[in-house]
Amino acid sequence: MSSFLHQRPIQNPFSNAYPVSPRSSSTSQRPISIFSPTGLIILLSLMVILGVFVPWSGMPVATFSNSKKASSSLSKWRDYTLAEAASFVAKNGTLIVCAVSQPYLPFLNNWLISITRQKHQEKVLVIAEDYATLYKVNEKWPGHAVLVPPAIDSQTAHKFGSQGFFNFTSRRPQHLLKILELGYNVMYNDVDMVWLRDPFPYLEGNHDVYFTDDMAAVKALNHSHDLPPPGKKGRTYICSCMIFLRPKDGAKLVMKKWIEELQAQPWSKAKKANDQPAFNWALNKTAGLVDLYLLPQAAFPTGGLYFKNQTWVQQTKGMHVIIHNNYIIGFEKKIKRFQDYGLWLVDDHALDSPLGRL
């Protein structure tokens, strides 16, 4: 009996293990002030928890959302057609076209700056020869680049004389023919060019094909606008890098003949062809059927004349319209030459380009 009387009372598992005095109970029920030490500690703890865990919890959703948007944008440009691009870009039925692979992007930007100064940049359509160029240009300047499949290997396309370079340049008449068949006037430029003045006033009359002579021999200022006589190789030496075409049967005939000549003279290790001889054969073989027009040399000089005959440059000062940085091979050499003549614009004027800084 005595042991029973002295046995420890059984604790209610749902009650406090130990009795609580009225004073301590009163203290525990008192609201905690945010300015008390305990309140500040709790507030600081909440801030740490929110700062650490909330960004991580939201990141997967944001990342997925951004990734989805980027993927949708890339798909949009991958499916963008030449017809859609031409319709979007053309002004007054005219396009200015270049064909570019990724290594040429600095030259593209330099060329665009010079065109912007003449207020013709909105007519420019960049035919991207690889997806990197397509996405980069449309990221910076939506709608102004299109890729006509298949894409080429951009790493070999810039090496003059290589099969990659031939494959790159030989697509040019195909692009131009498609644009003509869509009904547009089209000016083609290589991007190693710089505009000093507006070339459109020089496109006199309503001829089918306008072009420039690539010979460095000086012509009279009032020289003929007819196709020059053939040279030692039995053909002319017209440049395929600056062409203006009207959507007429004559221009289409020249483009089709150019394509045929390229197919008849494919690239080989023994004969490292490019597109220009084929263009000249096309002009020579269609000359009697097409209305051709040779642009004035003083306005559209070849690089072999402009960069190598300073006497002529001084004599024709103020007449130059588009300068072509040819007669030299290599990116670095071309850039250095442009820099020496004050024609490398991207270093100081990149923000004048629709692409901005690349």
Side-chain angles (χ1 to χ4, degrees):
M1 176 70 67
S2 61
S3 64
F4 175 79
L5 291 174
H6 290 87
Q7 187 176 359
R8 183 181 302 223
I10 298 172
Q11 295 289 331
N12 183 340
F14 298 102
S15 68
N16 289 328
Y18 301 98
V20 180
S21 70
R23 180 172 179 173
S24 63
S25 175
S26 171
T27 303
S28 66
Q29 293 175 6
R30 185 185 305 162
I32 298 173
S33 170
I34 193 172
F35 299 108
S36 68
T38 304
L40 290 173
I41 291 171
I42 293 172
L43 181 62
L44 181 60
S45 300
L46 286 171
M47 290 175 66
V48 170
I49 291 169
L50 290 172
V52 172
F53 292 104
V54 169
W56 283 99
S57 64
M59 186 175 293
V61 177
T63 302
F64 177 76
S65 175
N66 291 338
S67 175
K68 188 174 180 180
K69 288 179 182 177
S71 177
S72 175
S73 178
L74 296 183
S75 176
K76 171 185 175 182
W77 298 126
R78 193 182 299 116
D79 298 334
Y80 194 43
T81 66
L82 182 59
E84 291 171 333
S87 176
F88 175 73
V89 173
K91 301 291 180 289
N92 299 318
T94 300
L95 291 164
I96 301 168
V97 168
C98 64
V100 181
S101 60
Q102 189 177 24
Y104 286 92
L105 285 174
F107 287 92
L108 170 63
N109 225 15
N110 198 66
W111 176 72
L112 279 173
I113 293 167
S114 71
I115 292 178
T116 301
R117 292 178 174 182
Q118 305 304 323
K119 305 187 187 308
H120 284 292
Q121 73 278 12
E122 291 306 318
K123 297 185 185 74
V124 172
L125 177 60
V126 177
I127 297 181
E129 296 289 6
D130 54 65
Y131 285 104
T133 301
L134 174 71
Y135 299 146
K136 175 59 71 175
V137 173
N138 281 332
E139 174 195 346
K140 299 276 191 173
W141 199 21
H144 281 265
V146 64
L147 188 146
V148 181
I152 63 167
D153 179 3
S154 64
Q155 296 307 311
T156 60
H158 67 282
K159 297 177 182 177
F160 183 82
S162 68
Q163 185 171 5
F165 185 82
F166 176 80
N167 294 341
F168 170 62
T169 58
S170 64
R171 288 158 55 93
R172 186 179 310 173
Q174 299 172 30
H175 300 325
L176 296 177
L177 178 59
K178 289 177 182 176
I179 292 170
L180 292 174
E181 289 174 339
L182 290 169
Y184 298 99
N185 302 307
V186 56
M187 176 182 286
Y188 175 84
N189 277 189
D190 272 3
V191 292
D192 60 345
M193 292 183 167
V194 168
W195 289 25
L196 301 182
R197 298 171 67 183
D198 184 349
F200 284 92
Y202 294 82
L203 305 174
E204 299 176 357
N206 193 35
H207 307 285
D208 298 344
V209 183
Y210 299 72
F211 45 82
T212 63
D213 199 337
D214 212 15
M215 293 294 288
V218 174
K219 298 179 183 292
L221 291 177
N222 61 345
H223 68 75
S224 169
H225 296 291
D226 294 337
L227 184 69
K232 294 179 180 179
K233 295 183 179 180
R235 56 173 169 76
T236 49
Y237 203 61
I238 299 302
C239 188
S240 61
C241 307
M242 159 60 199
I243 310 168
F244 182 78
L245 307 165
R246 299 194 190 278
K248 299 165 68 176
D249 290 342
K252 295 174 188 177
L253 177 62
V254 172
M255 294 301 102
K256 290 174 183 177
K257 192 64 180 174
W258 189 0
I259 294 169
E260 289 177 12
E261 292 294 326
L262 283 165
Q263 292 170 344
Q265 303 175 42
W267 186 92
S268 67
K269 290 183 178 180
K271 187 179 181 182
K272 297 180 179 180
N274 60 69
D275 69 304
Q276 187 158 298
F279 178 57
N280 278 268
W281 283 119
L283 290 173
N284 296 169
K285 292 179 180 181
T286 61
L289 305 171
V290 181
D291 186 357
L292 304 175
Y293 187 85
L294 176 65
L295 290 163
Q297 184 186 54
F300 303 90
T302 182
L305 178 57
Y306 183 84
F307 293 109
K308 297 187 177 184
N309 189 333
Q310 290 308 298
T311 300
W312 178 87
V313 170
Q314 289 302 315
Q315 291 171 346
T316 56
K317 189 175 181 179
M319 300 182 188
H320 314 134
V321 177
I322 294 181
I323 305 303
H324 188 195
N325 194 358
N326 63 346
Y327 276 74
I328 192 170
I329 298 174
F331 278 22
E332 293 76 15
K333 290 180 180 179
K334 283 179 180 279
I335 291 173
K336 177 65 165 56
R337 182 198 259 176
F338 265 159
Q339 289 172 333
D340 291 344
Y341 283 79
L343 299 175
W344 188 245
L345 310 174
V346 292
D347 290 341
D348 299 323
H349 305 283
L351 296 182
D352 293 344
S353 166
L355 300 179
R357 294 192 184 278
L358 293 175

